[in-house]
Amino acid sequence: MTQTIEPGNPEAPGTPADPRPSGTTPAGTRPSSRTAGGAGTIPALKRRVPKYSDLAPLMQFKKPEFSRAAKLRRASTIWDLRDMAKRRTPQAPFDYTDGAAEAEITLRRARQAFLDIEFRPGILRDVSSVHLGTEILGRPSRLPVGIAPTGFTRMMQSEGEYAGSRAAAAAGIPYTLSTMGTASIEDVAAAAPDGRNWFQLYLWTDRDRSLELIERAAQAGNDTLMVTVDTAVAGARLRDVRNGMTIPPALTIRTVLDASYRPAWWFNFLTHEPLTFASLSRYTGTVADLINSMFDPTLTFDDLDWLRETWKGKLVVKGIQTVDDARKVVDHGADGIILSNHGGRQLDRAPIPFHLLPEVSAAFKADHSDAAIILDTGIMSGADIIAALALGADFTLIGRAYLYGLMAGGRPGVDRAIQILETDMLRTMALLGVSRISELTPDHVRILGK
């Protein structure tokens, strides 16, 4: 049990007893005037009636602000945005974002991994100007983080992919549209014409439909194709099962009751364009049924070779969870890898990307590979991002972190999520004593217990 010890407290444990008789003082010293009654002799401690001039600076009352913009400004962390999102969003779409597979062990471990570190700061460095800019896959990014692909995004909040892509463009970072997005490739490109747009692909059993999406992505100006390889079958996302999660959301007695104290979400949902998979044919059913009917469990590295020949831009592979697979996909033509366990949404008890990061970084250095190492899963602060960069990541992606902002306040909420992460990163860098991303090294981070 922690015990607070007051300075000079004679009853504090471990304080040596004074052997002098009561009322005596050491030779050569003067009796102290700070006795029980002597405190009054100090001018600053004399009681007085306060003057108005003293009180006036303290009485600057501000008008209470209850607008969504004010609430977003008061959010200091991604967790604050999550709390706002939970209050504003019906349970099914919130749980789809917030939840993971089975017992959600992987997600908890991924988040805990970022907590179980110790930063090692350097002192007496000039950090008057800290820069977060970096380069990823041949082009600059103002921040070392981009927005990961997320499916069904307009279900979380009606602005969906449009809010995400525009916020990313404004922040100077990449935005990735999912195959299972609720805005089309062309519409996202039109919404954020000045942004850097990437497209995430699930390879289907129907290769012609995959090829059609690849061609549309290229024509819309996407410079990077991100192929996801960890979804041979759907993970057991039990929250979705228990919530009866369907696309579009079904109106049942339970959902109507849930909507009774979240009217804004339902008003937006019912008064905007119906929710559909914009890159797919119209589909009605459960998420798991869609994945299991659409995705190809026969994929091999030969399919990656086909993609490399077909796609002329940058190619990254998402869902890498072993060092061997990281090396193999690079050998098969990938320009980069994404260490990811799908946010803990596929295989529970999967490897944690942050723990895998140092091994993959060391392997790539040994191979003299310049392939990009990107990390996602578990990131909830700018400090998490800086830790990942220090341990060998070239870049990071956020999924839930930006979706919490989206649910909390649409486009302004996504902007706020990015601002929070940027502020975190700047502060962490300065306190570590580094002013450039390139100055971060593994010496700045120690994984506790190792």
Side-chain angles (χ1 to χ4, degrees):
M1 181 175 67
T2 302
Q3 181 170 359
T4 301
I5 301 176
E6 295 291 340
N9 180 358
E11 298 180 359
T15 301
D18 191 337
R20 295 186 302 271
S22 176
T24 65
T25 58
T29 62
R30 297 180 181 179
S32 173
S33 63
R34 297 190 65 177
T35 61
T41 63
I42 301 174
L45 299 182
K46 289 182 178 179
R47 294 195 183 277
R48 61 187 178 84
V49 177
K51 300 176 182 179
Y52 176 77
S53 59
D54 295 331
L55 295 175
L58 306 176
M59 300 174 64
Q60 298 180 8
F61 301 110
K62 293 183 179 180
K63 182 180 179 181
E65 294 184 279
F66 301 104
S67 67
R68 188 186 312 178
K71 292 177 181 177
L72 289 173
R73 285 194 301 271
R74 290 195 291 268
S76 300
T77 67
I78 299 299
W79 293 105
D80 291 341
L81 293 177
R82 179 185 179 276
D83 291 341
M84 293 177 64
K86 189 171 185 178
R87 290 192 296 268
R88 299 185 58 85
T89 312
Q91 184 174 347
F94 178 83
D95 278 354
Y96 176 79
T97 299
D98 195 61
E102 301 180 41
E104 304 188 358
I105 295 169
T106 298
L107 178 57
R108 290 196 299 273
R109 287 177 177 172
R111 286 177 171 162
Q112 188 65 39
F114 286 106
L115 302 180
D116 291 339
I117 66 164
E118 176 183 87
F119 280 121
R120 297 289 185 87
I123 61 169
L124 299 177
R125 273 73 163 179
D126 181 358
V127 289
S128 57
S129 179
V130 176
H131 299 275
L132 295 172
T134 190
E135 184 176 290
I136 184 64
L137 297 170
R139 292 180 58 179
S141 177
R142 195 179 69 84
L143 302 174
V145 60
I147 291 182
T150 57
F152 326 130
T153 312
R154 286 184 55 239
M155 180 179 64
M156 319 310 167
Q157 202 270 356
S158 57
E159 295 177 66
E161 289 88 354
Y162 303 111
S165 58
R166 286 174 168 169
I173 63 176
Y175 172 82
T176 314
L177 175 66
S178 170
T179 295
M180 301 177 74
T182 45
S184 72
I185 299 170
E186 294 78 12
D187 286 348
V188 167
D194 299 323
R196 185 180 183 187
N197 294 321
W198 297 353
F199 183 68
Q200 177 268 336
L201 177 72
Y202 288 111
L203 270 175
W204 303 352
T205 51
D206 185 342
R207 287 293 185 270
D208 289 338
R209 297 184 72 186
S210 295
L211 183 59
E212 177 189 349
L213 282 179
I214 293 170
E215 292 173 345
R216 287 171 58 191
Q219 291 169 5
N222 290 259
D223 65 83
T224 296
L225 184 69
M226 179 186 300
V227 58
T228 298
V229 295
D230 59 2
T231 50
V233 296
R237 303 171 192 177
L238 300 183
R239 290 204 217 182
D240 296 345
V241 174
R242 291 163 184 151
N243 289 329
M245 167 81 169
T246 61
I247 305 296
L251 286 172
T252 65
I253 293 177
R254 180 176 178 177
T255 55
V256 169
L257 290 174
D258 194 33
S260 64
Y261 53 98
R262 295 177 177 96
W265 185 93
W266 279 104
F267 178 76
N268 285 331
F269 175 74
L270 295 172
T271 57
H272 285 91
E273 180 180 297
L275 196 67
T276 59
F277 297 112
S279 296
L280 314 178
S281 302
R282 187 172 296 273
Y283 176 86
T284 300
T286 67
V287 177
D289 287 345
L290 173 63
I291 292 175
N292 286 331
S293 66
M294 169 182 157
F295 301 145
D296 187 355
T298 69
L299 288 179
T300 69
F301 284 94
D302 291 339
D303 297 290
L304 190 59
D305 293 336
W306 174 79
L307 266 182
R308 180 67 283 178
E309 293 174 4
T310 304
W311 176 257
K312 305 308 179 185
K314 296 294 185 180
L315 176 66
V316 295
V317 179
K318 182 176 182 287
I320 301 299
Q321 299 173 68
T322 69
V323 175
D324 285 346
D325 281 347
R327 283 175 149 154
K328 285 180 183 177
V329 297
V330 172
D331 290 342
H332 283 262
D335 298 295
I337 63 162
I338 301 175
L339 298 178
S340 170
N341 56 36
H342 216 103
R345 298 163 66 80
Q346 285 295 103
L347 175 67
D348 208 8
R349 301 178 181 86
I352 304 306
F354 186 70
H355 289 163
L356 187 62
L357 177 57
E359 298 177 58
V360 172
S361 178
F364 278 21
K365 287 178 181 177
D367 295 344
H368 304 288
S369 173
D370 60 358
I373 301 174
I374 303 173
L375 181 138
D376 80 0
T377 303
I379 292 173
M380 288 291 282
S381 73
D384 298 341
I385 294 171
I386 298 303
L389 298 173
L391 288 183
D394 297 300
F395 203 68
T396 60
L397 296 174
I398 52 169
R400 289 182 179 89
Y402 108 86
L403 289 177
Y404 292 140
L406 175 67
M407 291 185 285
R411 161 70 192 279
V414 181
D415 290 334
R416 184 60 184 146
I418 296 171
Q419 290 165 5
I420 288 170
L421 294 174
E422 181 176 2
T423 300
D424 286 351
M425 286 187 280
L426 288 170
R427 179 178 58 250
T428 303
M429 291 269 288
L431 292 174
L432 282 175
V434 296
S435 57
R436 299 287 191 280
I437 295 296
S438 59
E439 297 173 11
L440 288 167
T441 73
D443 290 338
H444 286 108
V445 176
R446 182 171 76 92
I447 298 177
L448 299 179
K450 290 190 175 182

